[in-house]
Coordinates of all heavy atoms in Angstrom, one line a residue:
P1 N -2.0 10.8 11.4 CA -1.4 11.9 10.7 C -2.4 12.8 10.0 O -3.5 12.4 9.8 CB -0.4 11.3 9.7 CG -1.2 10.1 9.3 CD -1.9 9.6 10.5
E2 N -1.9 14.0 9.7 CA -2.8 15.0 9.0 C -2.8 14.6 7.5 O -3.9 14.7 6.8 CB -2.3 16.4 9.2 CG -3.1 17.5 8.6 CD -2.7 18.9 8.9 OE1 -1.8 19.0 9.8 OE2 -3.1 19.8 8.3
H3 N -1.7 14.3 6.9 CA -1.5 14.0 5.5 C -0.9 12.6 5.3 O -0.2 12.1 6.1 CB -0.7 15.0 4.8 CG -1.2 16.4 4.9 ND1 -2.4 16.8 4.2 CD2 -0.7 17.5 5.5 CE1 -2.6 18.1 4.5 NE2 -1.6 18.6 5.2
V4 N -1.2 12.1 4.1 CA -0.6 10.7 3.8 C 0.9 10.8 3.6 O 1.4 11.9 3.2 CB -1.3 10.2 2.5 CG1 -0.9 11.0 1.3 CG2 -1.1 8.7 2.3
S5 N 1.6 9.7 3.8 CA 3.0 9.7 3.5 C 3.2 8.5 2.5 O 2.6 7.5 2.5 CB 3.8 9.4 4.7 OG 3.7 8.1 5.2
A6 N 4.1 8.7 1.6 CA 4.5 7.7 0.6 C 5.1 6.5 1.3 O 5.0 5.4 0.8 CB 5.4 8.2 -0.5
A7 N 5.7 6.7 2.5 CA 6.3 5.6 3.2 C 5.2 4.7 3.6 O 5.4 3.4 3.6 CB 7.0 6.2 4.5
S8 N 4.0 5.2 4.1 CA 2.9 4.3 4.4 C 2.3 3.6 3.2 O 2.0 2.4 3.3 CB 1.8 5.1 5.1 OG 2.3 5.7 6.3
L9 N 2.2 4.3 2.1 CA 1.7 3.7 0.9 C 2.6 2.5 0.5 O 2.2 1.4 0.1 CB 1.6 4.7 -0.3 CG 0.6 5.7 -0.2 CD1 0.7 6.7 -1.4 CD2 -0.8 5.1 -0.3
A10 N 4.0 2.8 0.5 CA 4.9 1.7 0.1 C 4.9 0.5 1.0 O 4.9 -0.6 0.6 CB 6.3 2.3 0.1
S11 N 4.8 0.8 2.3 CA 4.8 -0.3 3.3 C 3.5 -1.2 3.1 O 3.5 -2.4 3.2 CB 4.8 0.2 4.7 OG 6.1 0.9 4.9
L12 N 2.4 -0.5 2.9 CA 1.1 -1.2 2.7 C 1.1 -2.0 1.4 O 0.7 -3.2 1.4 CB -0.1 -0.2 2.7 CG -1.5 -0.8 2.5 CD1 -1.8 -1.8 3.5 CD2 -2.5 0.4 2.5
A13 N 1.6 -1.4 0.4 CA 1.7 -2.1 -0.9 C 2.7 -3.3 -0.8 O 2.4 -4.4 -1.3 CB 2.2 -1.2 -2.0
A14 N 3.8 -3.1 -0.1 CA 4.7 -4.3 0.0 C 4.1 -5.4 0.8 O 4.3 -6.6 0.4 CB 6.0 -3.8 0.8
E15 N 3.3 -5.1 1.8 CA 2.6 -6.2 2.6 C 1.6 -6.9 1.7 O 1.6 -8.2 1.6 CB 1.8 -5.6 3.7 CG 2.6 -5.2 4.9 CD 1.7 -4.9 6.1 OE1 0.5 -5.1 6.0 OE2 2.3 -4.4 7.1
R16 N 0.9 -6.2 0.9 CA -0.1 -6.8 0.0 C 0.5 -7.6 -1.1 O 0.1 -8.7 -1.4 CB -1.0 -5.7 -0.6 CG -2.0 -5.1 0.5 CD -2.8 -3.9 -0.1 NE -3.8 -3.5 0.9 CZ -4.5 -2.4 0.7 NH1 -4.4 -1.7 -0.4 NH2 -5.4 -2.0 1.7
L17 N 1.6 -7.1 -1.7 CA 2.3 -7.8 -2.7 C 2.9 -9.1 -2.1 O 2.9 -10.2 -2.8 CB 3.4 -7.0 -3.4 CG 2.8 -5.8 -4.2 CD1 4.0 -4.9 -4.6 CD2 2.1 -6.3 -5.5
E18 N 3.5 -9.0 -0.9 CA 4.1 -10.2 -0.3 C 3.0 -11.3 -0.1 O 3.3 -12.5 -0.2 CB 4.7 -9.8 1.0 CG 5.4 -10.9 1.8 CD 6.6 -11.4 1.1 OE1 7.2 -10.6 0.3 OE2 7.0 -12.6 1.4
R19 N 1.8 -10.9 0.2 CA 0.7 -11.9 0.4 C 0.1 -12.4 -1.0 O -0.8 -13.2 -1.0 CB -0.4 -11.3 1.2 CG -0.1 -11.0 2.6 CD -1.3 -10.8 3.5 NE -2.0 -9.6 3.1 CZ -1.9 -8.4 3.6 NH1 -1.0 -8.2 4.6 NH2 -2.6 -7.4 3.2
G20 N 0.6 -11.8 -2.1 CA 0.1 -12.2 -3.4 C -1.1 -11.6 -3.8 O -1.8 -12.0 -4.8
E21 N -1.5 -10.5 -3.1 CA -2.7 -9.7 -3.5 C -2.5 -8.9 -4.8 O -1.4 -8.5 -5.0 CB -3.1 -8.8 -2.3 CG -3.5 -9.5 -1.1 CD -4.0 -8.6 0.0 OE1 -4.4 -7.4 -0.3 OE2 -4.0 -8.9 1.2
E22 N -3.6 -8.7 -5.5 CA -3.5 -7.9 -6.7 C -3.9 -6.5 -6.3 O -5.0 -6.2 -5.8 CB -4.5 -8.4 -7.8 CG -4.4 -7.7 -9.1 CD -5.2 -8.3 -10.2 OE1 -5.7 -9.4 -10.0 OE2 -5.5 -7.6 -11.2
L23 N -3.1 -5.5 -6.6 CA -3.3 -4.1 -6.2 C -4.1 -3.5 -7.4 O -4.1 -3.9 -8.5 CB -2.0 -3.4 -6.0 CG -1.2 -3.9 -4.9 CD1 0.1 -3.0 -4.7 CD2 -1.9 -3.9 -3.6
P24 N -4.9 -2.4 -7.0 CA -5.7 -1.7 -8.1 C -4.8 -1.1 -9.2 O -3.6 -0.8 -8.9 CB -6.4 -0.6 -7.3 CG -6.3 -1.0 -5.9 CD -5.0 -1.8 -5.7
P25 N -5.3 -0.9 -10.4 CA -4.5 -0.3 -11.4 C -4.3 1.2 -11.1 O -5.1 1.7 -10.3 CB -5.4 -0.5 -12.7 CG -6.8 -0.6 -12.1 CD -6.7 -1.3 -10.8
P26 N -3.4 1.8 -11.7 CA -3.1 3.2 -11.4 C -4.0 4.2 -12.1 O -3.7 5.0 -13.0 CB -1.6 3.4 -11.8 CG -1.5 2.5 -13.0 CD -2.3 1.3 -12.6

């Protein structure tokens, strides 16, 4: 895609959280 979508951010974050990964601080 040309620009990012929040749908992709959410899906990626959900995958990482499901695996127990720690996401970066905001």
